[in-house]
Amino acid sequence: CNRSHKIQQLHFPKNELTITIDTTRIDTFSNRYFGHKLYISNTTGDTVNFNAQDSRLSLKLQARDLRGNWRDIEYLPNSWCGNSYHTIQLEPGFYFAFTIPDYQGDIQTKIRAELRVINGKNRNNENVIYSNIINGSVNPGQFWHKATYYPGSLMDPYND
């Protein structure tokens, strides 16, 4: 659920839309794995709009490969259902909080989050913003292996 929270006790940079990975806050991802808190905060004076697919933001983690290039280590499945696509808003003075996995692997690397944000009124015009960079590790296969998607039911609209 992408329910936003009023910024009260957490501190975020002023007058910015930011993504922050907080490695000091250990949490549980999928009720079984260690993870970190990720915050998307809006301290600007304007409402920010995001394209969404079934309430999922266009947000994914990336890691540096052995050559130093940023590469996706997560992907978002595509939907063939037009009703899956909509926008989500984040009002000024509010934030979203998520838990992201704390990946473990043989490659010590840097990790960041990438988020697409609607620029202006045109949903097809997006800017990309990045989070702070954290130390982490990944498995080599995360750079090339796309996990198989298993539909949840006959009505599941994803076809990757």
Side-chain angles (χ1 to χ4, degrees):
C1 176
N2 291 326
R3 190 172 62 85
S4 62
H5 308 277
K6 181 126 181 85
I7 297 173
Q8 293 178 353
Q9 301 197 351
L10 296 173
H11 301 284
F12 301 108
K14 300 288 183 209
N15 300 316
E16 288 185 58
L17 173 68
T18 57
I19 312 169
T20 306
I21 300 173
D22 185 350
T23 58
T24 66
R25 293 179 183 255
I26 304 301
D27 204 345
T28 306
F29 181 79
S30 292
N31 296 318
R32 10 183 344 196
Y33 306 105
F34 286 117
H36 300 294
K37 282 298 198 186
L38 179 140
Y39 300 100
I40 301 170
S41 59
N42 181 6
T43 59
T44 71
D46 298 317
T47 298
V48 178
N49 295 298
F50 305 92
N51 283 315
Q53 181 180 305
D54 294 328
S55 293
R56 281 193 298 262
L57 299 174
S58 182
L59 173 71
K60 58 188 170 185
L61 294 182
Q62 298 178 324
R64 281 206 170 133
D65 65 15
L66 295 175
R67 293 187 174 142
N69 299 313
W70 287 105
R71 305 255 314 267
D72 293 344
I73 56 172
E74 297 180 336
Y75 78 99
L76 301 170
N78 294 315
S79 174
W80 53 262
C81 179
N83 292 330
S84 292
Y85 297 93
H86 58 97
T87 58
I88 292 176
Q89 296 184 326
L90 184 59
E91 295 177 10
F94 282 79
Y95 70 94
F96 293 129
F98 303 100
T99 303
I100 60 169
D102 179 13
Y103 290 117
Q104 301 293 312
D106 293 335
I107 299 174
Q108 296 296 314
T109 188
K110 304 289 185 184
I111 295 175
R112 70 180 181 187
E114 176 193 271
L115 175 67
R116 296 189 174 276
V117 182
I118 296 174
N119 181 13
K121 303 250 184 251
N122 182 350
R123 287 185 61 188
N124 295 323
N125 187 7
E126 293 180 313
N127 288 337
V128 175
I129 63 171
Y130 298 98
S131 71
N132 55 310
I133 297 170
I134 64 169
N135 292 320
S137 63
V138 296
N139 286 310
Q142 286 179 263
F143 292 119
W144 59 266
H145 178 70
K146 188 174 180 180
T148 304
Y149 180 80
Y150 296 100
S153 69
L154 177 63
M155 297 305 291
D156 192 337
Y158 298 98
N159 61 355
D160 261 359

